Amino acid sequence: MTAAPHIAVERVSTPEQLAEAFALRLVVFVEEQGVPPWEEVDDADFTDTTTHVIARDLDGGDVVGTARLLTDPAHLGEVHIGRVAVAQAARGSRVGAALMAALEAIAVAEHHDQYGNVTVLLSAQIQALGFYERLGYMPSGRIYLDAGIEHRDAAKILSHPAL
């Protein structure tokens, strides 16, 4: 998977990797942003249709980023990226962009519609909306509260290059 030069993005395949992802999310969302812990880890984290990725620092081996991709076989060609979290020390070093690129690649390869297209949806925290816009996501709709934090929906359409 494509990554910033100092990290490797891994598709989560073990309980240990998932625990590392959850640990980072708890720091970022619960400790830093005040999200109630019972709202952070949810049922979607454990479904067979959810893909998690982590970004690991190649120097120390620590997990410095994580994100998840939600899919629904009944809605082929539509996915949702969420729970994008980057450790405070790694912010601004392209870890978030590497996580997004990895999940977008998975979305295009595995979840495109019959025409090779996939719509990637996300709920962006307002303070992170500029980051997603720089990656090509188009905001839409009104600002709303999720876990007490202002969010706005955004979307991006991707196409499978071989189809």
Side-chain angles (χ1 to χ4, degrees), residues 27-75:
V27 168
V28 172
F29 296 122
V30 175
E31 293 177 21
E32 292 179 17
Q33 298 182 354
V35 172
W38 57 88
E39 288 187 36
E40 176 39 39
V41 176
D42 61 19
D43 291 341
D45 283 314
F46 303 100
T47 67
D48 292 338
T49 58
T50 299
T51 301
H52 296 270
V53 293
I54 54 175
R56 192 175 300 280
D57 184 317
L58 293 175
D59 295 327
D62 294 331
V63 171
V64 295
T66 186
R68 73 180 186 186
L69 180 73
L70 304 178
T71 63
D72 179 352
H75 296 98

Side-chain angles (χ1 to χ4, degrees), residues 15 60 74 87 91 97 101 125 143 160:
R91 292 179 194 150
Q125 290 184 8
I143 294 172
H160 194 289

Side-chain angles (χ1 to χ4, degrees), residues 31-146:
E31 293 177 21
E32 292 179 17
Q33 298 182 354
V35 172
W38 57 88
E39 288 187 36
E40 176 39 39
V41 176
D42 61 19
D43 291 341
D45 283 314
F46 303 100
T47 67
D48 292 338
T49 58
T50 299
T51 301
H52 296 270
V53 293
I54 54 175
R56 192 175 300 280
D57 184 317
L58 293 175
D59 295 327
D62 294 331
V63 171
V64 295
T66 186
R68 73 180 186 186
L69 180 73
L70 304 178
T71 63
D72 179 352
H75 296 98
L76 196 59
E78 185 176 290
V79 300
H80 190 279
I81 290 178
R83 301 301 202 272
V84 179
V86 175
Q88 190 170 30
R91 292 179 194 150
S93 63
R94 303 209 32 86
V95 171
L99 291 166
M100 293 297 293
L103 287 181
E104 287 177 357
I106 292 168
V108 168
E110 300 175 19
H111 303 289
H112 60 81
D113 64 15
Q114 67 270 27
Y115 305 107
N117 300 317
V118 62
T119 300
V120 182
L121 306 169
L122 56 84
S123 300
Q125 290 184 8
I126 292 301
Q127 54 92 13
L129 192 56
F131 163 75
Y132 293 110
E133 288 178 311
R134 285 189 297 280
L135 295 177
Y137 286 82
M138 299 297 297
S140 64
R142 303 180 85 139
I143 294 172
Y144 58 92
L145 288 179
D146 184 4

